Amino acid sequence: DKETLRKQVNVGLQKLYPLQRSDGGFGYFALSERSDPALTAYIVYALTQTRNAKFPIDESVLAKAEQYLQNTLRSTEKETPFNLALRTQILFTLAESGKSDVNALTALAKKRKDLPLFSRAQLAIALNKTGNVNALVLSETVLDEVLANAKVDPRGLHFEEKHPEYWSQLYSTEARTTALVIHALARIQPEHPLLPQTVRSLLLLKKDDHWDTTQSSIAAIIALKEIVLARNELKGNSKGTVRLNGTLIGTAEFPINERLGQREFVFPLSSFTLGANNPLSIQQEGSGRLYEDLTFTYRLKNPQEPRREEGMSIERRIEPLKKGVEGIVTGETYRVTVTVTSAQARHHVAV
């Protein structure tokens, strides 16, 4: 209930405030010797979201943290891709708290080719937040460039970084990047045709009511919130009905307090008429939007399949551990390296 939530939020805030350092930033531990810009930006973003949700916060703590981020922006760090991504995260965070810097964002946009996808999504959101006419046009361009990197998976679209290990320092995951792209779409192009497919992929990445990391879960929840607000989907109740060959399979009701809920219906192969068309209908009653997903699970009678070209390459390299050995010699030891390369994410690959 709301009162329990209010108490929990307040307890969390009271634990957070004493961890602020004298320079206004936050470290990872109570005794950290220095503040961390990425962590401080994350905390400023959290405090801003808390305030936007109508919970009281200590404004002086937020102001000091924002000033720390402003000071970080003025530092003369070398412009590596990592520092540019960190700069983007800070500018995005400050824009969300109402302190947009259109000049800094416009300058950063000129270097966006060096940014990972999640940073470009943040850049598009921040540019849009300024309300500046030129920045609004630029935000559309940046978002379109991000969408050009969409990866098609079996049940939708998702976004992944080229070097995920490197960007993990800024909390990057596939789910978080996909969520930030959804966030940008909801702000800038809420009726974009790719949005439903991307939402579907994000929901499929959820396991046991959460995503792979806390950062991913927060980004996903905020992205979904942005969608329902942009599309005005929080009004009224909704009901979905599934029928196969005219026979009712099931109904699912989504009252206003469960608009982000999910329902699953499973029906066996015996429900189908073999050798004939089997119309499947999913209908909605009420307001809002209904996102559906359909999967078919089966087992081949003959598991042996001929080789097919699926846009993948497999390379095997055999190297002797002892120098001077040529060819394959009985009794020698070799290192075998198998490299599987794919242009997009794959599921259930057996080599």
Side-chain angles (χ1 to χ4, degrees):
D1 59 77
K2 292 184 178 180
E3 182 59 25
T4 300
L5 178 61
R6 186 191 65 78
K7 290 180 180 178
Q8 291 175 337
V9 169
N10 186 58
V11 169
L13 290 173
Q14 297 310 315
K15 290 181 178 179
L16 177 66
Y17 294 152
L19 300 178
Q20 189 170 38
R21 293 171 45 78
S22 59
D23 61 0
F26 289 82
Y28 279 96
F29 308 100
L31 299 178
S32 294
E33 295 182 356
R34 64 183 181 87
S35 298
D36 184 86
L39 177 63
T40 303
Y42 179 36
I43 291 173
V44 168
Y45 186 64
L47 290 174
T48 300
Q49 292 292 326
T50 304
R51 181 177 61 186
N52 292 345
K54 309 301 182 184
F55 292 100
I57 65 169
D58 188 329
E59 294 290 343
S60 66
V61 172
L62 178 59
K64 291 176 184 177
E66 289 173 340
Q67 186 58 54
Y68 167 82
L69 294 180
Q70 295 281 9
N71 294 338
T72 301
L73 289 175
R74 287 191 284 269
S75 67
T76 56
E77 292 284 345
K78 183 180 178 181
E79 285 193 349
T80 63
F82 180 86
N83 286 334
L84 287 174
L86 176 60
R87 186 177 185 84
T88 306
Q89 182 172 336
I90 292 174
L91 288 170
F92 162 76
T93 300
L94 292 173
E96 290 295 283
S97 69
K99 296 177 174 58
S100 297
D101 189 334
V102 64
N103 292 328
L105 289 166
T106 303
L108 185 59
K110 297 177 181 178
K111 305 168 185 176
R112 61 184 181 275
K113 297 299 182 182
D114 294 326
L115 293 173
L117 293 178
F118 70 85
S119 292
R120 291 192 230 175
Q122 290 176 324
L123 177 62
I125 296 169
L127 285 165
N128 180 265
K129 185 79 171 181
T130 67
N132 177 277
V133 175
N134 293 329
L136 291 174
V137 174
L138 185 54
S139 72
E140 297 260 3
T141 301
V142 174
L143 178 57
D144 288 341
E145 292 173 354
V146 171
L147 296 177
N149 291 273
K151 302 291 185 181
V152 180
D153 59 51
R155 297 167 71 180
L157 294 172
H158 70 276
F159 295 82
E160 56 190 55
E161 306 297 343
K162 292 183 179 179
H163 305 289
E165 298 84 4
Y166 180 77
W167 296 115
S168 63
Q169 302 174 73
L170 289 175
Y171 320 119
S172 174
T173 67
E174 179 185 315
R176 181 173 178 267
T177 295
T178 301
L180 283 168
V181 174
I182 292 173
H183 188 161
L185 281 168
R187 286 281 184 91
I188 302 169
Q189 299 180 29
E191 300 299 327
H192 198 286
L194 294 184
L195 185 54
Q197 300 174 64
T198 313
V199 171
R200 183 182 299 117
S201 285
L202 179 64
L203 293 176
L204 290 172
L205 290 172
K206 184 174 67 170
K207 304 296 181 184
D208 299 326
D209 295 326
H210 63 83
W211 283 264
D212 53 350
T213 68
T214 303
Q215 283 273 345
S216 297
S217 295
I218 291 173
I221 292 170
I222 290 176
L224 294 173
K225 179 205 71 173
E226 291 285 341
I227 291 174
V228 297
L229 291 177
R231 294 185 166 194
N232 199 25
E233 295 184 6
L234 285 179
K235 292 185 177 180
N237 301 316
S238 184
K239 178 182 178 180
T241 304
V242 181
R243 286 185 171 86
L244 178 65
N245 290 322
T247 301
L248 179 66
I249 298 296
T251 61
E253 295 189 5
F254 300 95
I256 193 169
N257 60 336
E258 291 185 34
R259 293 311 299 272
L260 296 180
Q262 292 177 271
R263 301 291 188 275
E264 182 181 80
F265 298 103
V266 180
F267 40 96
L269 188 61
S270 58
S271 302
F272 293 84
T273 302
L274 300 182
N277 292 328
N278 292 263
L280 176 71
S281 68
I282 302 176
Q283 298 177 317
Q284 178 190 0
E285 300 175 26
S287 59
R289 297 185 187 231
L290 186 67
Y291 297 92
E292 71 276 357
D293 185 38
L294 180 66
T295 61
F296 185 64
T297 304
Y298 63 94
R299 179 178 299 163
L300 294 174
K301 295 180 65 176
N302 180 8
Q304 299 298 322
E305 283 286 315
R307 295 168 61 180
R308 295 184 301 177
E309 174 57 51
E310 294 287 353
M312 298 178 64
S313 66
I314 301 177
E315 177 189 15
R316 181 176 64 180
R317 187 170 66 252
I318 303 176
E319 304 170 280
L321 293 183
K322 184 185 297 183
K323 293 183 178 180
V325 177
E326 296 184 2
I328 305 298
V329 180
T330 303
E332 293 294 340
T333 305
Y334 297 82
R335 177 190 295 112
V336 180
T337 304
V338 178
T339 304
V340 180
T341 305
S342 173
Q344 63 186 52
R346 297 285 180 173
H347 304 267
H348 313 301
V349 174
V351 179

